[in-house]
Amino acid sequence: MISIEPDLLRMYHMLKRVITDLGYDYEKEYDASITACVLANSIDIIDPYKIFERLFKKLSNRHILVIGAGPSIYNIDRRLTSEIYDGVICSDGACRVLRENACLDKTCIWVGDLDGGIDSFEKISNFQNSFSFLHFHGDNYMDIIKISDKIRGFRDKIVFTVQTLPLCPKTILIPGFTDGDRALLLSKLLKPSKISVAGMDLESYYVSMYSKPFLKDIDLITPSKKRKLEWAKRLINMFPYY
């Protein structure tokens, strides 16, 4: 049995430090976790451990490509052929770089909070071999409720992730605060033989249009985004054993 949460208390305290440092409302984050529990039960999503077991069988000892939304994403090999990678984990809007048939012959995983728009979520989720890790936090949980009917259609291959307690049997808390570091830490959890990365520019002073749908090209990073990426790097280093 694969263990999703080998150190739950440590993860919880680390993420609580991030939330406090960035000045977020902890009560809203708590409400987001409650909402994730209620919605998971309402639409009857699958047990997240079953998803992990399926992914572990598909990607353990395989080659995984992790795609972030940083500026170096423009240099990615757009072909993404199955001869090169066995699976792709992409963070939210970064999934838009995948060609239309990229997920026909490999396992694709979308990891995000819908900040990059719903298009990338639907694009990946519609593939037969795809899975989604939808993250609930204080700024997005009300918007997720509005699209619950769409999410219901993917309830057999979606995982709800949260960043605070409480947890319920159908939600999980995994390391990572931004979509990019959650995607990378998820890839490590699956014990692949090799991990390649693209667009994981945690020290960059720029963001790409794949980070936010309103951006038209590369733009200067905001101070708040810079602090998030600094925490992303720290969290990756805090959980190297994944």
Side-chain angles (χ1 to χ4, degrees), residues 170-232:
K170 291 188 176 182
T171 66
I172 63 172
L173 188 155
I174 57 176
F177 193 76
T178 71
D179 297 329
D181 56 308
R182 275 198 308 278
L184 182 56
L185 289 166
L186 172 60
S187 72
K188 293 183 178 182
L189 181 62
L190 297 174
K191 307 297 183 184
S193 60
K194 181 179 180 181
I195 299 173
S196 297
V197 297
M200 293 292 291
D201 308 306
L202 301 181
E203 297 180 355
S204 176
Y205 289 95
Y206 298 91
V207 293
S208 78
M209 66 178 182
Y210 296 100
S211 178
K212 300 290 184 181
F214 57 80
L215 294 176
K216 302 302 180 182
D217 204 343
I218 293 177
D219 203 351
L220 283 170
I221 196 169
T222 63
S224 61
K225 180 67 173 180
K226 184 65 176 174
R227 289 174 67 191
K228 287 182 183 179
L229 294 182
E230 289 171 351
W231 269 111

Side-chain angles (χ1 to χ4, degrees), residues 131-143:
F131 299 86
S132 301
F133 282 70
L134 179 57
H135 191 63
F136 285 68
H137 58 73
D139 291 340
N140 77 339
Y141 70 96
M142 294 303 295
D143 293 327

